[in-house]
Amino acid sequence: MPSTSNKDFRWLWLGQTVSQLGEQTSLVVLPLFAVLTLDIGAGQLGVLRAVEQAPILLLSLLVGAWVDGWRTRTVMVVADVGRTLVLGVAAVAGSLNWLGLHALFVLVFVAGVLSVFFDVAYQASLVRLVTSDQLVRGNSVLEGSRSAAQIGGPALGGALVTLLSAPVAVASSALFFALSFLSVRRIRRTESVPERSERSPRVGRRIHEGLRFVVGESLLRTVCFAAAAFQFFFAAMMTVYLLFLPRELHLSGTAVGLALAATGPGALVGALLAARLPGRFGCGRVIVVAAALGDGAFACVPALHGSTAMTMAVLLAVNFVFGIAGQLVNVTVMAVRQAVTPDGLQGRAAATITFVGMGLSPLGSLFGGFLAQEWGLQTGLLVSAVGMVLSPVVLALSPLARLGRDLDALVRDRPGAE
């Protein structure tokens, strides 16, 4: 890879890292700001968090269609500037006691919209900066930094609010996005963007093109089915899991948080392994085995009893293994998706898969609540955990399982390849 590409990738990595750190920090800082400064209740806090996350479901397909027509560097830079301004306004208004709850709803929604733009754009940008044989390693580096941000961001946000003040903590989050802007704008490589005709296709048509491509490509179609099955049962499992730990195992809030936190270090290890294992054993084998290990690990949790040291050790191990396996699957699947997708469809393909996968999460949460209420926590957890295994079964029975170590063939065979 030319030295210019190396430099551009480093700037992308740095920008994405501090952007993710700012995003993860703000997910804690803004709700704490509302609780400490506006004294909102639990119901209002739930609405605030829903407003933060709503853009993912509402706008992913639209953003994917829009991003493919622009240079990803431009989209990321504009998104960073926008989030810096939004959080800067929130910090100033909060320090002057001018920020009400309804205004905060608007600000967090706008920040969420801009985050969707940034996240879709950065996923589409890597394929324009590195060669196909470097996609797995590149995704491993980016996903590793994202995992680190998921671990450190919430802790940093809580510390900032505790040690400083809520408005200053919000301003600190804005600083991360400003640093991301300064990094991403240093990318110098000129991107090849599909030429637009005088009459550009309507957004609906562009979304349809993305959907048609994903449905028509067997590998991506498999990813969608597997992701939908996983997200549905994972949402159900987590709904029961968060009730099972304190009520059945009688774990304290600190112990519950510690068990869940084990996923983060596991994800870091998974990101490191993802840079090597697919090249040694083949992408398909890694995806299937990792999915089976990670999703199947939770099946042993319903057998646990009491808040003993052994119970805690098993929970830590289960979440750690889940973090490793989940990251292996995420990194390798993302590399496959990038390799098989033409440049002009990268954003729409990423957005379509995200939309299909995340779209079933609310239904899965409702299903988990039903299981817990009607069948009990232990049975509900077992049913939802076993249901998660449907995802690796789908993967194992698909052409994705037969993928080898070399992704260059996928690049050569994709539509429009020379």
Side-chain angles (χ1 to χ4, degrees):
M1 184 168 51
S3 59
T4 301
S5 297
N6 276 316
K7 292 180 181 178
D8 288 338
F9 176 77
R10 285 196 292 269
W11 288 122
L12 173 65
W13 168 80
L14 181 59
Q16 184 258 2
T17 299
V18 292
S19 174
Q20 288 291 326
L21 191 57
E23 189 173 335
Q24 296 299 323
T25 301
S26 65
L27 288 176
V28 172
V29 166
L30 290 173
L32 286 178
F33 174 88
V35 171
L36 298 176
T37 304
L38 303 180
D39 195 28
I40 66 173
Q44 292 171 315
L45 180 60
V47 173
L48 177 65
R49 291 183 61 82
V51 170
E52 280 184 311
Q53 299 164 351
I56 298 174
L57 294 178
L58 296 177
L59 298 174
S60 292
L61 292 177
L62 288 172
V63 171
W66 193 84
V67 163
D68 277 334
W70 290 83
R71 289 183 171 84
T72 56
R73 173 185 177 276
T74 302
V75 176
M76 290 187 288
V77 165
V78 172
D80 280 333
V81 170
R83 291 185 293 184
T84 301
L85 293 176
V86 166
L87 292 183
V89 168
V92 173
S95 64
L96 297 175
N97 295 321
W98 291 350
L99 186 61
L101 182 58
H102 291 93
L104 185 59
F105 283 161
V106 174
L107 291 175
V108 298
F109 182 80
V110 173
V113 170
L114 293 169
S115 292
V116 171
F117 273 96
F118 184 96
D119 292 343
V120 171
Y122 104 75
Q123 290 186 59
S125 66
L126 181 62
V127 75
R128 304 180 187 182
L129 293 180
V130 302
T131 58
S132 60
D133 62 326
Q134 296 166 326
L135 284 176
V136 172
R137 186 176 297 273
N139 278 308
S140 174
V141 174
L142 292 178
E143 287 297 298
S145 66
R146 185 171 71 90
S147 299
Q150 288 176 332
I151 298 170
L156 177 60
L160 289 173
V161 173
T162 302
L163 298 177
L164 303 175
S165 67
V168 174
V170 175
S172 300
S173 297
L175 178 62
F176 286 119
F177 294 125
L179 292 174
S180 177
F181 157 76
L182 293 175
S183 299
V184 173
R185 69 187 296 268
R186 297 292 299 271
I187 296 174
R188 292 290 178 257
R189 181 167 180 171
T190 302
E191 300 179 30
S192 56
V193 179
E195 295 183 3
R196 301 181 216 170
S197 59
E198 293 182 2
R199 295 185 61 185
S200 299
R202 294 181 178 180
V203 171
R205 179 181 170 187
R206 293 176 61 79
I207 292 175
H208 180 261
E209 289 174 351
L211 288 169
R212 184 175 60 186
F213 173 76
V214 171
V215 171
E217 169 53 57
S218 61
L219 296 179
L220 299 187
R221 187 168 63 245
T222 298
V223 170
C224 281
F225 286 143
F230 170 78
Q231 292 294 346
F232 178 84
F233 285 105
F234 180 70
M237 189 276 298
M238 285 302 297
T239 300
V240 186
Y241 190 58
L242 292 175
L243 294 170
F244 181 82
L245 295 184
R247 294 183 182 178
E248 287 288 326
L249 301 184
H250 306 291
L251 297 180
S252 65
T254 301
V256 172
L258 180 61
L260 296 175
T263 302
L268 282 177
V269 175
L272 295 175
L273 293 176
R276 298 180 179 275
L277 295 187
R280 182 174 181 180
F281 298 106
C283 293
R285 185 177 298 177
V286 168
I287 291 172
V288 173
V289 173
L293 289 175
D295 296 350
F298 280 101
C300 69
V301 175
L304 298 177
H305 298 282
S307 55
T308 64
M310 179 61 69
T311 293
M312 196 64 199
V314 171
L315 290 174
L316 289 171
V318 166
N319 283 277
F320 184 74
V321 169
F322 180 74
I324 294 175
Q327 196 71 307
L328 272 171
V329 174
N330 289 341
V331 171
T332 311
V333 166
M334 187 179 296
V336 172
R337 189 262 300 163
Q338 291 168 338
V340 80
T341 305
D343 291 349
L345 287 167
Q346 287 287 341
R348 280 170 283 177
T352 298
I353 294 172
T354 298
F355 176 79
V356 173
M358 295 297 294
L360 291 182
S361 294
L363 295 177
S365 296
L366 293 175
F367 181 63
F370 169 80
L371 289 176
Q373 181 176 342
E374 299 297 328
W375 293 4
L377 294 178
Q378 191 172 37
T379 303
L381 184 61
L382 179 62
V383 170
S384 56
V386 171
M388 288 173 61
V389 182
L390 178 61
S391 178
V393 169
V394 171
L395 293 171
L397 297 177
S398 73
L400 198 64
R402 297 189 291 273
L403 282 180
R405 294 174 292 180
D406 185 11
L407 295 180
D408 286 340
L410 297 179
V411 177
R412 291 192 295 268
D413 293 341
R414 71 189 187 187
E418 296 182 359

